[in-house]
Amino acid sequence: MTLRDAIKPQHDAAEAHPFTALMLSGSISKEKYAEHLANHWVIFSAIEERMRETGLFDDIPDIFRAERIRADARELTSATQPVHPATVRCVNRIAEVDDRQLMAYVYVYHFADMFGGQMIKSKVPGAGTRFDFEDRSGLIAKVRPMLGDDLADEAQRAFSYTLELFDELAPAAA
């Protein structure tokens, strides 16, 4: 089973999730989207700290998104946002995985910005600089060889945190 096939059920669930529908509707509030961004900032910061430790991304600086996410959140509100339990669980797992398994989180989170984020950018409040890439195709081409089907189990686990966060965000989103 390919990595993409392994996460397809979760990817489909995320696309059909009410929180995704809210983002794509263009009617998500600044506050709710800032809450989503704040949680992603925590997750991306954890992933990217580990990425820096590996040194594998030293020649791929455009992959780093955490500070862009933080800037996008600050553009929308100066209020402190809650960190959801799914975010805490995800960050704890990122701290536990080995360097190879970390690539599953790069795949699930960073590739989401490179692909699905391009549809979301025009629908959400703010500038959406997290979705701006100097050379998106080139970036994908540099990262894709680092991925492999051996990451399927951890990618499924990583994606489950996204769905859990969406569940936690969705009740107050409507």
Side-chain angles (χ1 to χ4, degrees):
M1 176 180 298
T2 68
L3 184 56
R4 183 177 176 165
D5 291 339
I7 65 162
K8 186 172 180 0
Q10 290 148 313
H11 183 268
D12 291 349
E15 282 186 340
H17 198 282
F19 188 75
T20 303
L22 179 63
M23 285 193 293
L24 292 174
S25 74
S27 62
I28 191 168
S29 70
K30 285 182 179 183
E31 295 77 20
K32 182 53 61 177
Y33 188 59
E35 184 178 343
H36 169 72
L37 287 171
N39 280 268
H40 268 212
W41 175 73
V42 171
I43 293 167
F44 276 69
S45 293
I47 296 167
E48 292 175 8
E49 180 180 325
R50 293 284 313 279
M51 288 166 65
R52 284 183 176 88
E53 290 172 7
T54 69
L56 292 172
F57 299 91
D58 290 351
D59 64 337
I60 314 174
D62 196 34
I63 195 163
F64 294 95
R65 303 280 104 193
E67 288 311 310
R68 288 174 179 257
I69 294 168
R70 186 179 191 181
D72 287 348
R74 285 183 171 167
E75 175 191 359
L76 300 178
T77 183
S78 60
T80 301
Q81 299 298 318
V83 175
H84 286 271
T87 298
V88 173
R89 286 189 297 277
C90 183
V91 168
N92 288 342
R93 180 62 184 164
I94 291 164
E96 295 172 355
V97 299
D98 63 30
D99 291 351
R100 180 68 186 141
Q101 292 170 314
L102 178 66
M103 294 306 300
Y105 292 83
V106 174
Y107 176 68
V108 168
Y109 288 95
H110 290 74
F111 267 44
D113 279 9
M114 288 186 258
F115 288 96
Q118 303 309 301
M119 292 183 294
I120 293 170
K121 180 179 178 170
S122 66
K123 305 290 186 182
V124 294
T129 62
R130 76 181 285 183
F131 304 120
D132 293 340
F133 297 90
E134 290 178 28
D135 179 9
R136 189 174 70 87
S137 296
L139 183 57
I140 291 166
K142 287 179 181 177
V143 176
R144 194 175 300 276
M146 298 179 190
L147 304 172
D149 297 344
D150 61 309
L151 298 172
D153 289 344
E154 197 62 38
Q156 290 170 338
R157 189 176 205 167
F159 216 116
S160 71
Y161 297 122
T162 294
L163 292 170
E164 290 172 22
L165 179 60
F166 282 5
D167 287 345
E168 292 168 4
L169 288 166

